[in-house]
Amino acid sequence: CPLAVPAGVPAPLRIVTCANPEAEAVFTAREILHFVREENGRFRDCAVLLRTLDGYHDTLRRVFTRYGIPFFLDRRESVAHHPLAELTRFALRVVAFGWRSDDWFGALKTGLVHRNDDELDRLENEALARGWNGAQWTQPLPENDGAPNHFENLRHSVTPPFEKLARALSGSITGAQLAEGLRSLWSDLDVAAAFEAWTREAKRVAPSAAQVHDTVQAQLDDWLNNVERAFRADALPLHEWLPILESGLSGLSVGAIPPAIDQVLVGTIDRSRSPDLRITFVLGMNETVFPAPPPRAPILTETERQLLGETLEGRRESFGISTRQRLAHERYFGYIACTRARERLVLTCAAADSRGTRLNPSSFLTHLDRIVPGVFPAKASEREIFSIADWRDAEHISEIAAPLIRARLGTRSESPDADARLTVAGGDACPTREIASLADIAPLDAVVARAAQFKSAMERKPLLPAIVSQLYRAPFTTSVSALEDFAACPFKFFLKHGLRVKERTEFEVDHRQKGIFQHEVLSEFHLRATHDGKQWRDWTPADAAALVREIGREKLNTFEGGLFESDDARRFIGEVLLTNLERLVATLVSWMQHYRFNPRAVELAFGMGDSPLPGWRLALDDGRELILAGRIDRIDVCELADGNFLGAVVDYKSNGKKVDALKLFNGLELQLLSYLGFLRQLAPSAELPQLMPAGVFYVGLRAKTGSAKSRTETFEEPEAAQRGAFRHEGRFNADWLAHFDASDCGEQFSSHYMTKLKGEVFAQLISDVEAHLKRFGSEILNGNISVAPYRRNQRDTACMRCEFGAICRFDSWLDPYRALIPLPRKAPAKGANP
């Protein structure tokens, strides 16, 4: 019969539908608080039960902590990544795989080998930069200019226990030898003393977790005893022991003892036990959650196991638990869950999971409705749905904290609706103006003060002039590429070029190292090719390629301390880079018969250290000055019949690049045209004559091959395909087209939109770039450090490849991007419709 409950008395059985697991946890927390406050209950009278804690334990821990509910989570925690387990794992890998740096620092950073983390961090940074690896760690570190390496004392102090372990575990070893070697390592490192210190600290901070270290050590001792007993006489090489030992380490876990204090029990139906409960909350009453689906058979299906049982036993009985038996177990678990409490039972189901996937109610709920009609109606609209209709129903201040803090700070959120309404856990909204009078609640004082600090920090107010003068000393000197960083995001420039934040150097063949190597080879090629008054055009393509190969071979052995010779993979990368350079130089030399310019200078530095050329001085507002320094990859010069000289700037790019008109208009691509602006105002010198700007080009160092119409075309004209793969991208003055390509075949230069510009347009483009440089320099000296990354589309933003995301914490879901200014529309021709 339907439940008959007097008015004001809680129903003994409730089934509530929530939006998601988070809402289930919020509903449960509210009901527990209400039970304790209004019904004279105790926290220990409540229990939260689930079929499995997967997908719920983090949510429940977070929500119950926010609501101030004491709870005990009855769940075994894996200790496979406890420091002692990590030390054991990495120590064995260090010995087995020859002291690889990843394994070595994995052991050092457990906190059980060396107590000074700062020293270990500096040692790791130096090792990554120098490429220290393998047997290097068992020998004295290389000297620095004849002086002992200052990291040698640290290396010498931490390696002896591992060297001792390596000697003990050499060759084939038994389980007893392995156990003895690991116990000796723990003893040499005084692991017990470290655990005592950690336990004392844990008792001060989190008493409930104080015994975990002793428990882990006891479990690992038992684990070693089992290894010793099981493999006493079985001898294996260490690398064959590793998967066996990893299997044992990965299965280690610890469980806390339930405390005898006033706490809510949170656990699973098949594990947790509680003798006396007044109210039980059963969460996750959804299909695929409770009842739990039967696991997939690992090898044999149920039918195959049943047939095997008939064959061996002569009777109809399957090996293992059948699907019917598993379903019976699930119904038994459902019975246990519904009979734990002596007063009230509350069951909840979620309409969707945490990722928004729709979920169906459990079959147990319809079964309960047959037992107690009306408790779970067939129509979804008639079921009890969890929502908070009025802010006055709030059970905890966390539910109204956000609008209260906004009221105290006098700020508004991004959305006007968010200011006018308050919604908690998917419930109905209520006007926040009604709670404005509560904005003087005393417990919020500390929270509001902290929120005010965050608000002030996130505003990124301009730097004070005194700070600016310390960061950028007069005269303010920077590079064009740095100003491009400012154009992308002012805060990125502040971090990278003001605070000089940078990633640690690693002994790796990354894009930067590849580019540096190729630039050095091309620079040396120019010096040798132009020796004794010769020009590039005086070489045949084959001879030029051979010269590049010779130079590359020499530099591969010495570049960055033998970076490209350190292993086979890096040697292969070096060969690929050389092959690309051979093809590039052969192609460039072959074009010289139609290209009237001659390469005149390479890697030309200006305004840098002892460079012969001064920096480019630009006058800013208020009498301030900006000095630009840089390095130009290549400058080509063409002498005209009247004695004047044309200048073109060539920039090598690892993967090629195109001039983007929109980014150029917004000041995001300034480098090449800025170099022309510098050359335009440069006085004649021994390095260069007075130049008239003629063009700027990007040249890809790696061939970009396109598709051919047919396979035959590819094989019949391989040279033409190769030349097309190195086609230049850029802008040039169309008045000098004949000097760029005397054949007018367009083979060397790409003909994409706006490559050729009229003389006055090209000159104005350089002037516009100069205006960008002055504007950015003024904004930097005015202290602009705003977090304002640009966004062009979903795949092109300033944050895509920014290495400072962990510092600025820009959230694309909450924070607005800066939109680029669109290109101005062309004026319609006369007589055309506008």
Side-chain angles (χ1 to χ4, degrees):
C1 62
L3 293 173
V5 181
V9 178
L13 175 61
R14 291 175 63 190
I15 300 176
V16 182
T17 302
C18 302
N20 48 45
E22 177 86 13
E24 288 185 271
V26 170
F27 166 77
T28 304
R30 288 170 50 84
E31 290 296 315
I32 291 174
L33 289 180
H34 183 84
F35 170 76
V36 172
R37 293 170 180 168
E38 306 297 333
E39 302 178 35
N40 196 29
R42 303 287 298 273
F43 287 113
R44 66 186 181 191
D45 295 332
C46 308
V48 179
L49 301 179
L50 301 102
R51 181 64 181 90
T52 175
L53 285 170
D54 294 342
Y56 278 89
H57 66 276
D58 285 336
T59 301
L60 287 169
R61 181 186 287 113
R62 181 176 64 252
V63 171
F64 280 20
T65 301
R66 184 169 72 237
Y67 277 77
I69 298 175
F71 66 95
F72 168 69
L73 188 62
D74 188 12
R75 179 174 183 262
R76 293 192 66 85
E77 299 286 345
S78 173
V79 294
H81 296 288
H82 184 273
L84 184 56
E86 290 284 305
L87 171 66
T88 304
R89 177 184 292 111
F90 284 116
L92 294 175
R93 292 179 63 85
V94 165
V95 175
F97 300 123
W99 296 74
R100 295 187 309 193
S101 288
D102 290 344
D103 300 328
W104 175 231
F105 282 104
L108 292 182
K109 294 166 74 172
T110 58
L112 296 171
V113 180
H114 191 74
R115 307 298 187 261
N116 193 322
D117 293 338
D118 291 338
E119 287 187 14
L120 292 178
D121 288 340
R122 287 192 289 270
L123 176 63
E124 184 181 19
N125 289 340
E126 187 73 8
L128 290 173
R130 302 291 183 180
W132 295 339
N133 201 7
Q136 179 76 59
W137 294 110
T138 62
Q139 304 168 3
L141 295 176
E143 295 182 349
N144 291 329
D145 298 328
N149 196 303
H150 60 279
F151 290 108
E152 174 57 24
N153 290 336
L154 175 59
R155 184 208 68 84
H156 184 71
S157 66
V158 297
T159 54
F162 295 90
E163 292 176 332
K164 178 181 176 182
L165 179 68
R167 292 190 296 269
L169 302 184
S170 60
S172 294
I173 55 174
T174 64
Q177 292 173 317
L178 178 65
E180 179 61 27
L182 287 175
R183 289 195 184 99
S184 178
L185 175 68
W186 297 350
S187 175
D188 293 341
L189 295 176
D190 202 2
V191 169
F195 278 11
E196 289 180 6
W198 290 354
T199 300
R200 287 194 300 269
E201 179 66 17
K203 287 180 178 178
R204 186 179 65 84
V205 178
S208 61
Q211 303 302 320
V212 66
H213 303 300
D214 293 336
T215 304
V216 170
Q217 186 168 14
Q219 283 206 11
L220 285 173
D221 281 332
D222 292 340
W223 171 69
L224 282 184
N225 291 334
N226 292 334
V227 171
E228 189 173 7
R229 296 189 193 100
F231 305 99
R232 182 172 298 277
D234 297 326
L236 295 171
L238 182 56
H239 69 273
E240 295 185 18
W241 276 109
L242 292 181
I244 301 173
L245 301 178
E246 183 60 38
S247 177
L249 287 174
S250 62
L252 295 178
S253 62
V254 296
I257 300 175
I261 56 178
D262 193 21
Q263 289 185 331
V264 175
L265 172 67
V266 180
T268 57
I269 299 165
D270 58 340
R271 169 180 168 84
S272 303
R273 298 290 182 268
S274 182
D276 186 22
L277 295 172
R278 291 179 57 188
I279 180 171
T280 300
F281 299 88
V282 183
L283 279 58
M285 299 295 290
N286 290 95
E287 286 184 0
T288 72
V289 180
F290 191 23
R296 295 184 59 182
I299 299 177
L300 301 178
T301 65
E302 183 176 353
T303 303
E304 290 170 339
R305 286 188 282 111
Q306 186 175 356
L307 292 174
L308 183 60
E310 292 178 357
T311 303
L312 297 179
E313 301 289 341
R315 52 197 174 95
R316 193 174 183 81
E317 182 176 338
S318 64
F319 288 129
I321 301 177
S322 66
T323 302
R324 181 183 292 273
Q325 290 171 319
R326 292 186 184 278
L327 292 176
H329 274 290
E330 292 299 315
R331 294 184 67 83
Y332 173 65
F333 289 146
Y335 169 78
I336 292 177
C338 294
T339 56
R340 283 286 179 86
R342 56 186 170 86
E343 290 185 12
R344 292 168 56 193
L345 172 65
V346 181
L347 302 100
T348 67
C349 64
D353 62 15
S354 57
R355 292 174 294 183
T357 304
R358 182 178 178 82
L359 298 176
N360 294 321
S362 170
S363 58
F364 287 167
L365 300 183
T366 56
H367 182 74
L368 282 172
D369 187 65
R370 290 197 297 270
I371 298 174
V372 184
V375 71
F376 190 70
K379 293 183 178 180
S381 59
E382 298 176 1
R383 299 170 186 168
E384 182 178 357
I385 309 295
F386 167 57
S387 64
I388 302 175
D390 197 314
W391 68 271
R392 298 177 183 85
D393 294 331
E395 292 287 349
H396 193 266
I397 195 171
S398 64
E399 297 176 353
I400 57 175
L404 283 174
I405 292 173
R406 283 201 296 269
R408 290 281 292 274
L409 292 176
T411 59
R412 298 181 62 84
S413 64
E414 292 291 334
S415 170
D417 292 338
D419 284 317
R421 316 291 291 176
L422 166 65
T423 305
V424 180
D428 295 335
C430 59
T432 57
R433 60 175 177 272
E434 297 181 9
I435 66 172
S437 60
L438 301 179
D440 59 349
I441 295 178
L444 280 180
D445 290 344
V447 179
V448 170
R450 189 65 172 162
Q453 294 178 1
F454 284 129
K455 175 189 174 186
S456 176
M458 292 305 293
E459 286 179 351
R460 311 291 186 194
K461 296 179 180 178
L463 297 176
L464 297 176
I467 299 178
V468 173
S469 63
Q470 293 179 10
L471 289 175
Y472 317 114
R473 298 188 181 278
F476 175 39
T477 303
T478 187
S479 64
V480 179
S481 59
L483 294 182
E484 288 180 342
D485 289 336
F486 180 85
C489 178
F491 193 65
K492 178 180 180 179
F493 177 90
F494 169 65
L495 292 175
K496 187 174 181 179
H497 306 282
L499 300 182
R500 295 173 177 81
V501 177
K502 62 179 181 180
E503 295 181 330
R504 59 187 181 184
T505 305
E506 297 189 18
F507 194 73
E508 294 291 339
V509 182
D510 54 17
H511 291 296
R512 179 175 175 273
Q513 295 291 359
K514 293 177 185 178
I516 293 175
F517 170 74
Q518 290 178 302
H519 278 69
E520 288 187 4
V521 173
L522 291 172
S523 176
E524 183 65 22
F525 167 78
H526 173 78
L527 295 177
R528 297 191 189 183
T530 57
H531 186 63
D532 294 334
K534 296 177 66 175
Q535 300 292 342
W536 286 31
R537 64 181 69 254
D538 298 329
W539 292 74
T540 65
D543 290 341
L547 180 58
V548 168
R549 169 64 61 173
E550 177 185 343
I551 297 171
R553 288 290 187 187
E554 297 172 1
K555 290 195 172 291
L556 280 176
N557 297 325
T558 59
F559 181 78
E560 293 291 332
L563 175 62
F564 287 104
E565 295 293 330
S566 55
D567 57 40
D568 292 338
R570 291 168 180 170
R571 277 189 287 272
F572 173 77
I573 294 174
E575 288 296 325
V576 172
L577 296 178
L578 274 184
T579 301
N580 283 334
L581 288 180
E582 287 182 76
R583 294 173 178 172
L584 168 65
V585 170
T587 302
L588 295 179
V589 171
S590 69
W591 278 330
M592 287 295 172
Q593 56 183 324
H594 304 302
Y595 185 58
R596 299 309 184 202
F597 287 74
N598 287 312
R600 180 68 174 268
V602 295
E603 299 298 324
L604 182 68
F606 59 94
M608 300 175 63
D610 56 352
S611 59
L613 298 180
W616 186 12
R617 293 181 175 270
L618 297 174
L620 304 180
D621 300 335
D622 302 328
R624 295 177 296 188
E625 193 175 46
L626 168 67
I627 300 178
L628 292 176
R631 190 181 302 274
I632 306 174
D633 287 353
R634 196 179 97 202
I635 301 174
D636 293 355
V637 176
C638 176
E639 184 175 3
L640 301 177
D642 59 2
N644 290 319
F645 295 88
L646 300 178
V649 172
V650 176
D651 193 60
Y652 298 117
K653 292 297 181 183
S654 297
N655 295 318
K657 186 176 181 180
K658 294 182 179 180
V659 176
D660 190 304
L662 180 61
K663 290 185 176 181
L664 184 63
F665 183 72
N666 283 269
L668 294 169
E669 290 187 1
L670 304 172
Q671 197 170 26
L672 290 190
L673 288 165
S674 296
Y675 291 160
L676 272 188
F678 164 72
L679 295 175
R680 181 175 61 176
Q681 57 84 43
L682 187 65
S685 64
E687 288 78 17
L688 290 171
Q690 182 75 46
L691 298 177
M692 295 188 297
V696 290
F697 306 103
Y698 289 114
V699 178
L701 295 175
R702 186 176 66 179
K704 280 192 173 183
T705 55
S707 59
K709 296 180 180 179
S710 65
R711 181 182 180 89
T712 304
E713 178 182 336
T714 302
F715 287 100
E716 286 182 351
E717 299 182 1
E719 294 183 1
Q722 177 174 308
R723 290 194 299 271
F726 291 107
R727 181 173 291 177
H728 296 16
E729 304 280 353
R731 300 283 190 270
F732 64 88
N733 188 334
D735 297 342
W736 311 113
L737 176 60
H739 297 277
F740 284 109
D741 190 352
S743 67
D744 199 24
C745 63
E747 186 181 61
Q748 182 175 358
F749 302 98
S750 175
S751 58
H752 65 85
Y753 177 68
M754 281 194 64
T755 294
K756 305 171 186 178
L757 299 175
K758 294 182 179 179
E760 61 274 13
V761 176
F762 189 74
Q764 183 60 45
L765 196 60
I766 299 176
S767 299
D768 292 343
V769 167
E770 184 175 333
H772 279 305
L773 297 174
K774 293 180 178 180
R775 177 167 59 87
F776 294 153
S778 297
E779 290 187 25
I780 292 171
L781 295 180
N782 289 334
N784 184 359
I785 59 169
S786 60
V787 181
Y790 81 86
R791 177 178 182 176
R792 183 177 185 178
N793 50 49
Q794 292 290 347
R795 295 178 296 177
D796 187 2
T797 69
C799 301
M800 289 297 291
R801 288 175 292 275
C802 180
E803 62 270 35
F804 305 112
I807 301 178
C808 78
R809 302 295 178 90
F810 180 85
D811 189 342
S812 60
W813 290 96
L814 302 176
D815 305 318
Y817 280 102
R818 170 171 54 89
L820 297 181
I821 302 174
L823 291 170
R825 299 183 63 181
K826 290 185 176 181
K830 291 184 178 182
N833 292 326

